[in-house]
Every structure is written in structure tokens, then in C-alpha cells.
Amino acid sequence: MSGSANHPPLLREDGQRLDGRSLEDLRPISIEARVLNDADGSSLVIWGKNKILCGVYGPRECIPRHDESPYRAVLRCRYNMAPFCSLEEHGRSGPSRRSQELSKVITECFENVVIAESYPKSAIDVYIDVLQSDGGTRCASATAVSVALADAGIPMKDMVAAVAVGKVEGKLALDLSKEEDNWGESDNPIAIASRNGEILLYQMDGQLTRDEIDQAMSMAKIGAQKVHQLQVDALRRVYDGASDKRRVPLELQPGEVRQA
Amino acid sequence: MEVQKELKHQQLMQLLAAGKRADGRSKHDYRDIQITRDVLGNAEGSALCTIGKTQVICGVKVSLATPFPDRPNEGVLSTGAEFTPLGSHLFEPGPPKVEAIELARVVDRGIRSANMVDLASLSIPGSSKVKAVYVDLWIADHDGNLFDAAMLAAVAALSKCRMPKIENEKIAFGEYAGNLPVSCLPVSCTFGAIGGQHLLDPTLDEEKGVDGLFVLATTPDFVCAAQKSGWMGYTQKDIMEFVDISFKKGAELRRLLEQ
Amino acid sequence: MSKIVVPGEMVADKPQRMAYTFSDGQKTYAVALSLLGDDGKLVPLEGPYEPLVEDIVVGYVTDIRFTGYSLSLGTPFSGFLSSRDTRATLSLGSIVQARIINVDEVRSIDLADARPLPGGSLEKISPVKVPRLIGKRNSMINLISQMTGCQLVVGRNGYVYVSGMGNHSLALKAIRMVEAQAHTTGLTDRVAALLNEERAKAGQPPMQMPREA
């Protein structure tokens, strides 16, 4: 996010982005619910080249015991990157400082919507594995978590959809690609509650003016509505017809990528 | 968990007494196996192997590394396994537990002793660095027999692994020059032992009930790795039975990998 | 026609007190992925077990103490069966059917009227699909039981006891089919067809299915 001049141009001469999108376009997104067998709820989100697998267990016994609350279930989201997820060096396994921070902000996002009071002294565990990363994994992860929680039947006041808004070549752009994130001037991952429009995850780096921040949130809301529709479609597809939707094998290379 | 194991043991004994398995298979049958290669784009090699509802993803990354001091002319092969907690209610987050370490080491032995990857070919002439091949196994769904699923996933991913281009002792990620050469396709067969009976390809329910697992990895001509896991003891005759079945079933598994 | 609603989706344009919903004072919204029926009621498609007094549950003994037995019910907490409330002598791993007599504010479950269920297996299904597996006036459970020769006991908590006698693997297949297709109509007919098909493979005559009331 240096805003350095030593980077390739991020907009083409016709004003479109390098992957052919306009400033308001999302990348192709495919969302599937109920993709795992043992997990109580699960989802696979393929967002551009990101591939995010999410599994939910619970409410179940809270181990270790000192984490538990007599008032509500504790929600624990764990964001984790596979060592083979990036194009560059083989990654180390185990949580990095970055993944611990993302686990925290994603957990807090869903603490707002999950009705945890019904399950005191228990735990709802949400595991997020990034199998392939390409910029915007935290928004794709929050989107995946919402679908997996709904698939598990965990009571929630709302669904959550997330998308980033950034600034490239001086212009605000929806859903930054990896290059745009690396070389752009600002990145704002934003998660939005679909019913009441509340912002439940907000992070920001780079520099934006007051008006740009305002406009970024408006753009994120429009993007999140499109993502929300894909989430709803994915959940409804689980109950299409009479076949068991827990597919084996996982479709990590979907034949059809649903365009947002 | 201990009580559940005991319960599963009793149920398994009852079924076996009637000559049955819970899913209706015979003792030496595999469940449906599916192998899909190239499921991930950033990894140099990748595969998804499913046996029944067990799903194992393997991602292979190739990097540069300093060779081991006693083997300056050989590359590095390293195998890891992650029992990611989304794969089973039995898995917990945290550093790898002993079961994950055992799985990674058995798969590593199978690949290494079969000389599937020629480590000398991973050296870089005129350079102090060598190529390192990292094989990572990701257990996305655990319904038993992780050994065979992991072995198939690893061998499938390695046998179609792109080699990145190397320029000035640096890897040009995203640019490739040929595939990793492999010499053979090792496969493994896992047996669950209970009350003197042996069940090939045990499900998770069966694994909870059995007294031990026996894993044998084979190439067409040789046994290349073995692991006795669990407290159960075996006779020489038992183990020779495993060897004979492993060669026979191994040929069938290898055909799946060759498709 | 019923419709699938997601959490946060509006189900009534005025405040209403209804299971699986909440109200913001103006409208009423679903809290779980559910089927919204023509009657305006919600049937959840998935979700955890909510223990209620008088529920019949199935579990297995995980601990024996002087005061009684701990039972695993697949819930975050085990159920407790006091020695005073049972005459049955149970051992570790015994499968048991019991009735819930109390649930406190932290969801501790007290049990009574234990009945041991010997020599079978314990299967787990989604608790919200239990009514479908039982069927109207026990029609589904009777169908599976009669056509496989297995005795079945279904607990509200989603644990199902399947006796060791009879065609065990076929009974499991039928249970999994009901679980996967619980939201569809005409399920009893399809389960009967599956069971008859498998019986035919084994050379057994087809059976008339019990009439659905």
C-alpha cells in the first residue's frame, strides 16, 4: 500500500481494470453450501482465484473449560492459510500474527449476529481454511462463514456479506484483485449485515479523504447485496430436489462459476 | 471418547460375527475412490483424493533451499500433514498431534523408499542451492483410512507436478519448465484388525472399534513402507496375508492413478 | 407453497411471537434457515437440539458414579440419570432411552425412566429431522422397522438406536435417505421403493407398506 510509482499501471487506457472489470464489478464468485460430511455446516467460496473452505462445529462442549461463559456460547473463528495457498514461497503452518488478527475481527463480526444466549457454556467453532489465496481472502472468508453458520442451523439475526473497496490510480474500485491490493493506494475490507446494513467488519489502510470513505462504504453496500444474493442461492440449492447435497468429491474446480 | 470406542468395538464384533460390515462391503473391498488432479492453481502440484466420504487434499510447493550438509548434491523432499479442525469433530486446532505426524512420516517413507522422486535431479548445477519439494496433506473430511487417501493424493499430486523456472538462483513463480520426473507410483493398503479378522479400508466408525491398523505401501515389485499402528499383535501369517492383498489391490489403485 | 428463508429474512410485516423468529419491534425475521409454510409458521431445516422436559432421548453411559449415571446425548452437556430415578443397572457404553425431567438455565439435563437398549448400534441424525424419521403416527419408523427386521428407537436429540438383528446396513441406508430428503414430499413412498428394491436384490418378496394415516 505504498502508493509507489514503481508499479505497473492498474488501469487500462480504456479505464477498465487489468482483468477487464469496471470499477464497480466484482470478480466471478461461486458459493456452495454443505460441502463437507462431518462438519455441522460448511461452505466453499471460490472468489476470483481465492478458494476458501469453511466448517462449523457446534454448539458443542467448550474445551478448554476456562473459555466458556455461563451466559452464552463462545464463538471461535479460526482463519488459517494452507502452506500451499500462495503462488510464492511454501508457507509455514501454524497461525501467523496476520491470521490471528483476522481470526479476531471475523469472530467479532459474527458475535454481532449469532444468537449465542440459547447455548450457555458451550462453544461454536468456525474453521476457515484458505486453500488458495489471491487478494481479498478476509472478505471471502466472512462470506463463507455466514453461509456455513446458516447451513449448520445456528440461530442468527442476520446474514453477513463482505467485500473490499480500494483505491487504484486515484479511483475507488470494488473488490480489489491481488495486484490492486499490492500496488493500490488504499484497501477497505467491509462486512455488512444484510438485513439492517450495519457494518460489522471494517479495516482500512492507505489514505482516503472523508468523501472517499463515504463513497467506499456506499460501494461496499451495493457489492455486498450481490454477494448476499449468491449466499441465499447457495443455501436454497442445498434443498433443491431430493438428492443429498453433500457431494464427494469437493468441487474445487467448479465447471460453472456464477457471475455476481 | 474411550466409552464410545468400546461401544464401537462391541458393535463391530456383533456385525462381524454375522459376517457383515455396516456399509455392506466384504472384508477386502475398498469404498469408491476418486482422484482429481490440478485442483489448485497456485501450488505446483495438487490433487484431491476421496475414499468414500474421506477427502484428502494434497498441495505440492517447490522452493529453493540449502541442502543437508551430508547430502550437498541432493534436493529436499519434505512431507507434512494438517488435521485441519474443519475436517472432523475429532481434530483440534494447534500444532500437529502425534497422529498427524505419523501420517506424514508414513507417506514420506512410502514415497522416499520407492525412490519415486530422484533427489539428485533436484540439485542445481553450479549452485549452492537445491530444489525443495514440499508435500502438504490437508484432511478436509475424515471418514477413516487417512493413510491410503493421503498416499494416493500425494502420489497423484507429485506425478503431475510442474517445476517452476529458476533464474539467477531465484524461482520465477508462475513460470514453469517441465514436470517433476517420477520413477514409479507407490500406493498403500490399510487394514483394520479386530478379533482375528482384517478389514481393508476401514471407515472412521470401524477405526474407532478396531484394535489396530496395519499399513503397507507397495510398488509393483516391492513393499516400500510398513506401519503397525495400535496395540494389536500379528502373526507372520497375518502379515503375509496383508502383503499378498496389498500387491493385488495395489495394482488396482495404481490403475486409478494412471488414468 | 412453502418457501425457504434465510436468517434475517422478513417473515411477517408486524411484530409476532413465533418459534425461530425475532422481532425488531416493527417486523418479524427468521433466525434460522427454515421452510416458511403457507400457515406462516417456520420449520427449521437444520439446527441444534433444544432439550425440553418430557422429551424422550437416546444416549449412552459415559460415567458411573455413586449418585447416578452420565449419559452422552450429543448435546454440549451430558444428561444425568440419578440412581434414585432408575431401577435399571447400566454399564459403561450401555445404550439407553430416557425421559427428560428437568432442564436448568445452563442447559443441564436431568433424566428418568431409563430403558436399556441392548446389542445394537447408535446412529446420529440431525435433530430437526427427527419428526420426519418418526413420521405421522410412527409411519416412517414402522415402515423401516418392518421391512428390515430391525428395531429402531429414535431420540428427540437425534440419536437413533438400531438393533443388531435384521438387515442392519439396509436400515442405515433408509435412515440416511430420510435425513437427506427430510424436506421433500412423497418421502415414505420413495423409502418404501428403496427398501423393496433392496429386498428384491436379496431375493425377498416385496412388502405392502403400512398406510400413512
Side-chain angles (χ1 to χ4, degrees):
Chain A
M1 213 53 54
S2 53
S4 151
N6 301 323
H7 65 76
L10 295 172
L11 292 179
R12 303 192 311 209
E13 283 186 2
D14 61 359
Q16 303 288 81
R17 296 150 82 175
L18 296 183
D19 52 14
R21 287 186 289 156
S22 78
L23 292 167
E24 292 86 25
D25 281 346
L26 292 163
R27 287 172 282 182
I29 300 171
S30 144
I31 303 178
E32 293 295 335
R34 189 152 299 186
V35 293
L36 297 176
N37 292 293
D38 198 33
D40 297 318
S42 55
S43 63
L44 173 66
V45 169
I46 302 182
W47 184 316
K49 286 185 207 152
N50 292 301
K51 296 188 179 178
I52 316 274
L53 193 55
C54 178
V56 170
Y57 288 88
R60 63 179 176 183
E61 193 180 353
C62 183
I63 297 170
R65 268 285 157 81
H66 60 75
D67 279 2
E68 74 181 28
S69 156
Y71 299 108
R72 62 188 67 85
V74 290
L75 183 68
R76 301 184 288 200
C77 300
R78 176 182 181 266
Y79 169 99
N80 183 35
M81 294 184 98
F84 45 77
C85 72
S86 90
L87 186 59
E88 288 82 27
E89 294 288 328
H90 175 252
R92 272 188 311 239
S93 55
S96 63
R97 287 162 59 88
R98 173 180 173 276
S99 61
Q100 289 183 62
E101 184 204 350
L102 295 196
S103 297
K104 177 175 185 288
V105 296
I106 293 170
T107 300
E108 288 161 352
C109 164
F110 286 94
E111 278 174 344
N112 187 285
V113 295
V114 169
I115 305 172
E117 290 73 18
S118 314
Y119 312 99
K121 292 171 91 174
S122 67
I124 298 168
D125 288 314
V126 180
Y127 301 114
I128 307 150
D129 278 357
V130 179
L131 299 177
Q132 189 163 297
S133 63
D134 188 44
T137 57
R138 80 195 68 185
C139 290
S141 296
T143 300
V145 170
S146 183
V147 173
L149 281 168
D151 181 37
I154 305 287
M156 295 191 286
K157 291 192 169 174
D158 218 331
M159 296 280 290
V160 177
V163 65
V165 178
K167 190 177 177 186
V168 291
E169 311 280 0
K171 293 193 168 78
L172 290 180
L174 188 68
D175 184 22
L176 295 190
S177 70
K178 191 177 164 201
E179 291 75 26
E180 291 168 339
D181 186 12
N182 284 348
W183 303 113
E185 294 122 71
S186 175
D187 180 24
N188 304 250
I190 301 174
I192 294 171
S194 308
R195 174 178 57 88
N196 62 14
E198 274 188 26
I199 290 169
L200 301 183
L201 181 153
Y202 190 100
Q203 294 183 292
M204 190 264 182
D205 65 9
Q207 296 190 351
L208 291 181
T209 65
R210 181 191 174 283
D211 286 351
E212 282 171 337
I213 290 269
D214 191 35
Q215 200 196 334
M217 287 188 282
S218 302
M219 283 174 79
K221 277 186 188 167
I222 296 168
Q225 277 171 12
K226 295 180 184 169
V227 175
H228 175 69
Q229 192 53 51
L230 295 175
Q231 292 176 311
V232 174
D233 293 347
L235 288 166
R236 291 203 172 125
R237 271 200 306 282
V238 173
Y239 297 96
D240 267 356
S243 64
D244 188 352
K245 289 299 191 296
R246 286 189 201 235
R247 276 148 304 199
V248 173
L250 272 171
E251 282 180 56
L252 290 169
Q253 295 277 54
E256 172 200 6
V257 174
R258 287 173 184 84
Q259 194 80 36
Chain B
M1 211 46 75
E2 279 306 299
V3 178
Q4 196 192 31
K5 260 183 102 67
E6 191 56 37
L7 190 60
K8 295 285 179 198
H9 182 86
Q10 289 165 12
Q11 290 167 6
L12 201 50
M13 287 296 271
Q14 278 170 26
L15 277 168
L16 283 172
K20 289 188 283 196
R21 286 174 88 165
D23 53 12
R25 277 185 293 158
S26 75
K27 282 198 293 183
H28 294 157
D29 275 352
Y30 268 98
R31 290 167 284 175
D32 280 344
I33 301 178
Q34 298 193 54
I35 300 166
T36 320
R37 284 188 176 86
D38 299 327
V39 291
L40 300 170
N42 287 345
E44 277 75 44
S46 63
L48 167 68
C49 173
T50 66
I51 302 185
K53 287 180 182 170
T54 289
Q55 309 202 70
V56 178
I57 297 166
C58 177
V60 179
K61 285 299 292 178
V62 179
S63 302
L64 291 185
T66 312
F68 292 112
D70 55 335
R71 294 173 179 235
N73 300 319
E74 286 189 1
V76 174
L77 175 72
S78 164
T79 309
E82 174 96 4
F83 283 17
T84 169
L86 62 73
S88 170
H89 64 284
L90 300 170
F91 299 164
E92 294 166 16
K97 303 229 167 17
V98 63
E99 290 79 11
I101 294 166
E102 181 188 32
L103 175 72
R105 286 183 54 86
V106 170
V107 171
D108 189 274
R109 284 214 298 280
I111 295 166
R112 204 178 287 276
S113 349
N115 294 320
M116 180 186 180
V117 178
D118 177 12
L119 294 181
S121 77
L122 299 177
S123 67
I124 305 166
S127 166
S128 61
K129 298 266 174 153
V130 294
K131 288 177 229 173
V133 176
Y134 295 100
V135 178
D136 281 284
L137 297 158
W138 215 252
I139 315 303
D141 236 322
H142 179 15
D143 192 27
N145 198 6
L146 296 181
F147 285 107
D148 296 356
M151 191 77 187
L152 285 169
V155 170
L158 281 170
S159 62
K160 205 182 158 201
C161 174
R162 302 167 292 184
M163 291 308 271
K165 261 193 190 156
I166 295 173
E167 284 159 1
N168 304 324
E169 304 215 344
K170 280 211 173 112
I171 288 202
F173 286 104
E175 294 176 50
Y176 304 99
N179 280 359
L180 174 72
V182 296
S183 66
C184 61
L185 302 170
V187 294
S188 73
C189 291
T190 298
F191 301 86
I194 176 167
Q197 306 218 51
H198 305 130
L199 304 173
L200 184 62
D201 180 28
T203 63
L204 182 58
D205 263 359
E206 288 171 339
E207 280 188 10
K208 283 177 180 165
V210 298
D211 301 317
L213 295 177
F214 203 98
V215 190
L216 273 175
T218 54
T219 63
D221 302 315
F222 297 103
V223 175
C224 59
Q227 182 82 344
K228 195 211 83 142
S229 183
W231 62 267
M232 187 68 170
Y234 303 89
T235 64
Q236 185 175 352
K237 186 164 157 283
D238 289 336
I239 292 175
M240 289 320 294
E241 187 193 326
F242 297 155
V243 171
D244 290 338
I245 297 170
S246 294
F247 276 123
K248 184 162 156 273
K249 290 285 170 184
E252 293 171 23
L253 295 176
R254 213 165 285 114
R255 270 201 290 282
L256 292 175
L257 283 167
E258 282 160 357
Q259 276 168 14
Chain C
M1 262 310 276
S2 49
K3 171 193 173 198
I4 292 174
V5 293
V6 301
E9 193 164 334
M10 191 181 75
V11 293
D13 53 11
K14 54 182 184 294
Q16 270 182 12
R17 280 184 68 88
M18 191 165 53
Y20 306 104
T21 66
F22 77 102
S23 172
D24 59 0
Q26 285 155 356
K27 293 170 179 168
T28 307
Y29 305 91
V31 298
L33 191 65
S34 323
L35 270 181
L36 175 63
D38 295 330
D39 55 359
K41 291 222 169 63
L42 288 174
V43 180
L45 289 162
E46 201 50 74
Y49 172 58
E50 308 266 358
L52 291 173
V53 172
E54 294 302 320
D55 276 1
I56 300 296
V57 293
V58 173
Y60 61 93
V61 177
T62 54
D63 197 9
I64 303 176
R65 276 166 287 169
F66 178 70
T67 49
Y69 304 94
S70 287
L71 267 74
S72 170
L73 302 172
T75 47
F77 294 97
S78 46
F80 185 72
L81 176 64
S82 167
S83 305
R84 274 175 304 162
D85 294 322
T86 179
R87 259 179 290 168
T89 311
L90 306 170
S91 53
L92 283 174
S94 292
I95 303 175
V96 177
Q97 170 199 304
R99 183 171 59 86
I100 297 181
I101 52 169
N102 189 41
V103 182
D104 72 12
E105 64 273 21
V106 291
R107 297 293 194 274
S108 292
I109 299 169
D110 290 327
L111 300 165
D113 298 346
R115 180 164 78 98
L117 301 166
S121 75
L122 198 56
E123 307 300 324
K124 196 173 190 304
I125 66 162
S126 172
V128 299
K129 295 174 181 175
V130 164
R132 204 72 167 104
L133 181 58
I134 294 170
K136 280 182 195 148
R137 295 189 196 168
N138 297 329
S139 57
M140 186 71 85
I141 205 76
N142 288 345
L143 171 74
I144 299 173
S145 189
Q146 283 174 23
M147 291 181 73
T148 62
C150 292
Q151 188 208 345
L152 281 85
V153 179
V154 188
R156 282 277 154 186
N157 55 330
Y159 275 174
V160 184
Y161 162 84
V162 185
S163 74
M165 297 159 303
N167 190 341
H168 192 259
S169 63
L170 182 56
L172 297 193
K173 211 169 172 180
I175 291 169
R176 293 291 159 225
M177 181 176 175
V178 174
E179 188 186 26
Q181 305 183 17
H183 60 285
T184 62
T185 52
L187 184 54
T188 317
D189 292 340
R190 285 202 302 282
V191 172
L194 167 93
L195 292 169
N196 268 327
E197 194 181 305
E198 296 287 331
R199 284 174 64 90
K201 277 187 209 161
Q204 294 168 308
M207 276 178 76
Q208 201 60 42
M209 71 176 208
R211 292 240 51 91
E212 200 164 333

